[in-house]
Amino acid sequence: MSEGTGKVLPNRPGWLASVNPWVLRVVNNPERLAFVLHRLTGLLMALIIMAHIFVTGTPARVGWEAWAEEIAKAQGITVVTLYFFFFAGIAWYHGLNGIRLLLVEFFGTCIGKPEKPKPPYLAPSLKACQRKLLYTVYILWAILWILTGYIVFMG
C-alpha cells in the first residue's frame, strides 16, 4: 500500500500475490506467461505420468488378455494425438524452459547489474538477455512441436 492513502499500487499486489502467484497481471510480460506455462506443464506431466503408471499396472489387476485389448484400442488416432500433445506441447516446453531456468538461476546467466528499483518495478535482468533466452525457448518449442508432429503423423 502507498503511504497513508490505503490504495494498492498497480504493480505491487501485496499479500494476494504471495497466496496465489497466478493473480499478478502485468501487460507485455512474457516471463509471467513462461511462469504459468511452466507450472501448468509440470502439473500436467505429473498427472499423465500417474495415469501411465496406472495403465501399465493394469495386467496385474485384470490380466494380460484384457490389457492387450486396451493397448490395441490405444493405437487409434485419438490416443496418438493425445500423446503428440503431451510430448510435443508439454514435455518439450517444460524441458526447454527448465534448461533456461537452470541457466539463469543456477549458473547466473543473464543476471545483469543491480539497479535502483523504479516504477514499474521491472527487474533489469528481464529487459534484455533473459527475454532473448525466453523468446529462444518459445521459438525452439514451436520448431520442435512441428518436427514432432511431422514425425508422428507423416513418418
Side-chain angles (χ1 to χ4, degrees), residues 98-118:
I99 291 169
R100 180 189 70 88
L101 290 173
L102 277 174
L103 286 173
V104 171
E105 295 176 6
F106 186 72
F107 294 111
T109 307
C110 299
I111 294 296
K113 294 182 179 179
E115 291 180 4
K116 183 178 179 180
K118 54 186 179 261

Side-chain angles (χ1 to χ4, degrees), residues 12-56:
R12 301 183 75 188
W15 67 271
L16 191 57
S18 62
V19 173
N20 184 358
W22 303 76
V23 299
L24 183 61
R25 307 251 190 276
V26 180
V27 178
N28 190 19
N29 192 349
E31 291 84 12
R32 195 60 173 165
L33 177 64
F35 170 79
V36 171
L37 284 175
H38 196 75
R39 283 206 169 173
L40 186 63
T41 55
L43 178 66
L44 288 172
M45 284 177 62
L47 292 173
I48 290 169
I49 289 171
M50 286 189 289
H52 179 74
I53 290 170
F54 179 77
V55 168
T56 55

Side-chain angles (χ1 to χ4, degrees), residues 57-94:
T58 302
R61 291 187 308 273
V62 298
W64 286 101
E65 295 80 20
W67 187 67
E69 290 175 17
E70 291 298 318
I71 293 300
K73 291 178 193 173
Q75 303 301 321
I77 191 70
T78 304
V79 175
V80 171
T81 304
L82 288 174
Y83 271 110
F84 164 69
F85 280 109
F86 168 68
F87 284 110
I90 298 171
W92 280 127
Y93 176 79
H94 195 79

Side-chain angles (χ1 to χ4, degrees), residues 1-17 24 121:
M1 292 200 191
S2 61
E3 299 297 318
T5 62
K7 289 174 50 177
V8 176
L9 297 174
N11 270 346
R12 301 183 75 188
W15 67 271
L16 191 57
L24 183 61
Y121 305 110

